[in-house]
Amino acid sequence: MTARLADIAAQAGVSEATVSRVLNGKPGVAATTRQSVLAALDVLGYERPVRLRQRSAGLIGLIIPELDNPIFPAFAQVIGQALTRQGFTPVLATQSPGGSTEDELTEMLVDRGVDGIVFVSGLHADTSADMGRYDRLRAQGVPFVLINGFSPKVRAPFISPDDRDAMRLAVTHLTSLGHRRIGLALGPRRFVPVQRKVEGFTAALAELRGVRDAEAGEFIEHSLYTLEGGQAAASALLDRDCTAIVCASDMMALGAIRAARQRGLSVPGQVSVVGYDDSPLIAFTDPPLTTIRQPVTSMGQAAVRALLEEIAGTPAPHSEFVFHPELVVRGSTASAP
């Protein structure tokens, strides 16, 4: 036990006596200190004593599109941890091709009595989808919050990154490196984040280079949010002599690098590539990817706060909370050839 107390004390930055008081449930320990000790137990892999285990305040559903794209597990981790700290139990529900739909997952979660639901990049981002499904969910008394995608038809808190500003950051960076033919590879037109990225991209080209919308449209290629989709879109943009490509996801950016190399072009020597998300491990690709960092931690925590306010009977404003992204410059961009 002595070694264990020492380990926990070192991890939490407190004395062994304090650790002992927390583990034995004795008074006289500040709430923040107590939380630090419990967190140290979790980090070191020790099981919490039964009397210190937090009772669940309820279940919260988390619906994400997939697990293949690392940005979605990143959201799940942040949201799950934030919910757990508040005493709730997150229930992860993942869509998959040929599997359960968002509506089916929602019904399943409601049937299990969840206190609320967080939707990440769901049908709320699809301008062709029927938004009535969210009205029906609200009519059932289930609070919810939506991440990535906005619809004025849905009365709920929305959490979004500033996609327009993200494109301005990328185009400004590439223009400063001397690139004049900059392409944009992104997903299907019907999605709100895609539309906003297009708006930001064309506005940045007009502001920085005086390019008209019609001309800018020649350098925009829609595809799928996959590595293969990025490869296909990049191939089309390379056919138009682009020396730099901005991609709407890191997965697409990896596909763009593959497309360039298949043509014998070096990245970033002959083609610069910018991703979007700053997914886990993306800093360790070859070359390390320059990308727009989506503020996942801030967005996930804000979504949980908004949802818990709804659950507590203090509805969050039915508006959109917009978070600013950050350009992270690494090795996949360089001066124009």
Side-chain angles (χ1 to χ4, degrees):
M1 175 59 81
T2 302
R4 176 177 169 182
L5 284 177
D7 292 342
I8 298 169
Q11 179 69 31
V14 299
S15 68
E16 291 183 33
T18 298
V19 173
S20 179
R21 282 198 296 273
V22 172
L23 295 181
N24 290 301
K26 293 185 177 180
V29 180
T32 53
T33 302
R34 180 180 180 278
Q35 193 58 44
S36 296
V37 172
L38 295 178
L41 282 172
D42 298 338
V43 169
L44 295 173
Y46 290 125
E47 188 174 356
R48 293 188 184 188
V50 174
R51 62 179 170 276
L52 297 181
R53 293 176 194 168
Q54 198 170 30
R55 293 187 63 186
S56 174
L59 305 177
I60 300 292
L62 171 59
I63 300 180
I64 62 175
E66 57 173 307
L67 292 173
D68 291 340
N69 187 331
I71 195 62
F72 295 125
F75 266 114
Q77 182 175 18
V78 168
I79 294 169
Q81 289 176 341
L83 288 170
T84 301
R85 283 196 296 269
Q86 296 299 321
F88 288 86
T89 301
V91 180
L92 181 62
T94 308
Q95 303 174 62
S96 59
S100 299
T101 64
E102 179 179 312
D103 289 337
E104 291 169 341
L105 293 174
T106 300
E107 182 179 359
M108 177 268 292
L109 291 170
V110 172
D111 288 344
R112 280 158 177 75
V114 295
D115 291 335
I117 300 177
V118 180
F119 294 90
V120 180
S121 299
L123 291 171
H124 61 278
D126 188 341
T127 58
S128 69
D130 176 18
M131 296 298 153
R133 55 177 40 90
Y134 300 109
D135 291 332
R136 292 188 289 273
L137 180 61
R138 182 165 295 281
Q140 292 177 279
V142 181
F144 59 91
V145 63
L146 306 120
I147 297 177
N148 275 344
F150 176 76
S151 172
K153 300 176 182 178
V154 181
R155 293 180 61 252
F158 285 86
I159 310 292
S160 305
D162 191 333
D163 288 301
R164 299 182 183 92
D165 188 51
M167 294 300 99
R168 183 187 62 80
L169 290 172
V171 172
T172 300
H173 171 61
L174 293 170
T175 300
S176 71
L177 292 173
H179 293 277
R180 294 295 175 264
R181 299 182 71 82
I182 302 170
L184 175 62
L186 30 63
R189 292 180 176 85
R190 67 181 188 274
F191 293 111
V192 172
V194 170
Q195 295 171 2
R196 290 178 170 181
K197 286 183 176 71
V198 169
E199 292 169 6
F201 180 75
T202 54
L205 287 183
E207 175 188 346
L208 297 171
R209 300 205 35 246
V211 176
R212 293 171 301 189
D213 286 0
E215 183 181 351
E218 299 176 11
F219 296 97
I220 298 173
E221 191 69 25
H222 294 273
S223 186
L224 299 176
Y225 275 117
T226 61
L227 190 147
E228 292 78 14
Q231 183 177 351
S235 292
L237 293 169
L238 291 173
D239 287 340
R240 297 167 204 164
D241 299 323
C242 289
T243 62
I245 300 173
V246 181
C247 299
S249 77
D250 291 337
M251 295 292 285
M252 294 188 79
L254 296 180
I257 293 174
R258 176 193 283 180
R261 286 176 171 167
Q262 284 185 340
R263 297 177 179 226
L265 302 174
S266 66
V267 177
Q270 293 166 287
V271 179
S272 287
V273 176
V274 177
Y276 187 95
D277 283 336
D278 196 25
S279 310
L281 303 180
I282 211 67
F284 306 102
T285 57
D286 180 25
L289 188 65
T290 294
T291 188
I292 303 295
R293 176 177 293 158
Q294 191 172 175
V296 171
T297 300
S298 299
M299 291 172 62
Q301 292 174 347
V304 170
R305 284 196 301 270
L307 182 64
L308 297 188
E309 286 179 5
E310 294 258 353
I311 292 172
T314 308
H318 295 137
S319 59
E320 184 176 23
F321 301 88
V322 179
F323 290 76
H324 288 286
E326 175 187 356
L327 175 69
V328 181
V329 179
R330 298 192 180 104
S332 65
T333 52
S335 299

